[in-house]
Amino acid sequence: MSKQRVLTGITTTGTPHLGNYVGAIRPAIAASNAADTESFLFLADYHALIKCQDPAVVRQSSKEIAATWLALGLDTERAVFYRQSDIPEITELTWILCCNSPKGLMNRAHAYKAAVQANEEAAEDPDFAVTMGLFNYPVLMAADILMFSAHKVPVGRDQIQHLEMARDIAQRFNHNFEPLFTLPEAVVEDNVAVLQGLDGRKMSKSYNNTIPLFLPEKQLRKAINKIKTNLLEPGEPKDPDDSTVFQIWSAFAATEETARMRREFEQGIAWGEAKKQLFELVNDTLAAARERYLQLMDDPAHIEQVLKRGAERARAFSTPLLAQVREAVGIAPMR
């Protein structure tokens, strides 16, 4: 049976939250257990440097994210789980691809264009505070993907352009040198939940409205109690489809429990009671993983061992491919 290789990167710039779990971690772990899938999952710590210049944050986030995936049951014997910076072939490939990537293509990248637009609106130089890391971000992402011959890359809609750029870069290299790179496909999961945060907007570190995944019980209860609701009193029917409380409930509850809570909303459940039940559901779902997470956070040597083993497995793919790339572009031993 031919396996589809799926690759997912997790940028190490923050603490995982409920939205990350529902939208990315849970479906990726489920996919990694499929018989027809070969999963490559990595900590994108080089990408983190683009937006974060605090080394303590990058280190702590890397530890938290690795511990989170392991605590939630990622099977690292099935999936290849590694740290981007442990694969030197990725940075070498990035330079080779930079030398084959048109600047005009990079000029069209959404993140760069948004930065230029913001500068122009603020009457600044168009490239004010724009680093080459931000400008070349799509090339590094292309190297991540092409290095491991990924067939499919799950992304949000805002990342589709970067997948298209990776395909363009791969096609250009394959045409100019040798057909060494697999053309990746973007996979946009429209059925994966995008959770709302405490203020009703998309749950995001950028909005400071997240609920961290492994909060202790008391802090988790307090966070859920802070979820914004309307002023409807107990007994007044409430619209479940316009409620962050119900949306998070639906992401964690079984189908029959979601149907029951919908009826409770229509019958006027009090917000306090709805939040109490939501806390109990989320806490029960995550309790065992939280305990394992705390154990892992106290054992960084074990996390490091897992990542080093993952890097060895990853380099079994990256080392021979880079050797072919070097040969193709003329960087090879004298003969």
Side-chain angles (χ1 to χ4, degrees):
M1 178 171 56
S2 177
K3 291 189 176 184
Q4 288 287 299
R5 190 169 294 174
V6 179
L7 181 139
T8 300
I10 312 101
T11 307
T12 56
T13 53
T15 297
H17 53 72
L18 297 187
N20 298 143
Y21 169 70
V22 169
I25 301 173
R26 186 172 65 184
I29 290 177
S32 72
N33 292 322
D36 62 347
T37 299
E38 191 175 19
S39 289
F40 282 66
L41 303 164
F42 68 97
L43 305 181
D45 50 353
Y46 279 137
H47 286 290
L49 302 183
I50 296 169
K51 59 181 83 171
C52 181
Q53 279 74 52
D54 187 335
V57 170
V58 175
R59 278 194 292 267
Q60 180 66 14
S61 179
S62 297
K63 182 179 172 183
E64 290 179 357
I65 291 172
T68 295
W69 283 78
L70 297 175
L72 289 167
L74 178 67
D75 183 349
T76 56
E77 293 302 314
R78 291 181 62 91
V80 182
F81 185 55
Y82 58 98
R83 182 170 40 204
Q84 183 186 36
S85 59
D86 286 336
I87 316 299
E89 293 81 12
I90 290 174
T91 45
E92 184 171 346
L93 179 60
T94 299
W95 176 251
I96 293 172
L97 296 180
C98 276
C99 295
N100 288 274
S101 300
K103 179 177 179 292
L105 181 65
M106 298 300 104
N107 287 342
R108 296 194 290 274
H110 295 323
Y112 173 64
K113 288 175 66 176
V116 169
Q117 182 178 348
N119 283 334
E120 290 174 340
E121 291 173 354
E124 296 279 5
D125 181 273
D127 286 325
F128 175 73
V130 175
T131 67
M132 289 307 296
L134 173 65
F135 188 72
N136 284 331
Y137 168 83
V139 185
L140 177 58
M141 183 170 171
D144 289 325
I145 297 165
L146 302 179
M147 188 86 265
F148 297 104
S149 304
H151 301 106
K152 298 183 181 298
V153 183
V155 293
R157 292 198 172 277
D158 60 334
Q159 290 286 324
I160 292 177
Q161 184 199 43
H162 290 142
L163 261 292
E164 293 172 344
M165 286 180 162
R167 288 177 62 91
D168 288 345
I169 291 168
Q171 286 175 317
R172 185 182 183 90
F173 183 97
N174 289 349
H175 175 74
N176 289 340
F177 299 103
E178 290 184 32
L180 298 178
F181 294 130
T182 300
L183 302 186
E185 294 181 18
V187 178
V188 180
E189 299 284 2
D190 288 325
N191 60 336
V192 170
V194 177
L195 289 194
Q196 295 168 0
L198 298 175
D199 57 3
R201 294 182 293 177
K202 175 185 175 182
M203 190 176 290
S204 169
K205 295 187 291 286
S206 302
Y207 297 143
N208 194 31
N209 66 352
T210 66
I211 300 176
L213 186 58
F214 291 131
L215 282 177
E217 284 192 27
K218 288 184 179 179
Q219 293 180 32
L220 177 62
R221 188 190 298 274
K222 287 181 181 179
I224 288 175
N225 284 336
K226 290 180 181 178
I227 295 173
K228 184 179 179 182
T229 56
N230 57 38
L231 299 177
L232 291 173
E233 297 290 336
E236 294 185 86
K238 298 168 178 65
D239 181 4
D241 297 321
D242 190 37
S243 166
T244 299
V245 173
F246 183 80
Q247 191 221 25
I248 297 175
W249 177 277
S250 301
F252 280 84
T255 302
E256 59 273 16
E257 278 298 294
T258 298
R260 179 188 66 77
M261 184 57 79
R262 179 175 287 276
R263 291 193 298 271
E264 295 264 14
F265 265 68
E266 292 167 350
Q267 292 166 8
I269 188 173
W271 285 122
E273 175 61 22
K275 289 180 179 180
K276 173 178 174 292
Q277 291 191 34
L278 177 60
F279 159 73
E280 291 170 349
L281 172 64
V282 174
N283 189 60
D284 289 348
T285 300
L286 297 176
R290 180 171 59 219
E291 182 177 354
R292 174 64 176 149
Y293 171 81
L294 294 174
Q295 292 171 350
L296 287 162
M297 290 295 288
D298 286 337
D299 191 4
H302 174 72
I303 299 175
E304 188 69 19
Q305 183 181 31
V306 170
L307 291 174
K308 290 298 186 184
R309 170 61 183 141
E312 290 176 7
R313 295 181 63 198
R315 294 194 70 195
F317 295 89
S318 62
T319 301
L321 180 58
L322 184 65
Q324 290 180 286
V325 170
R326 288 169 63 97
E327 179 77 27
V329 299
I331 299 174
M334 298 293 176
R335 56 180 181 268

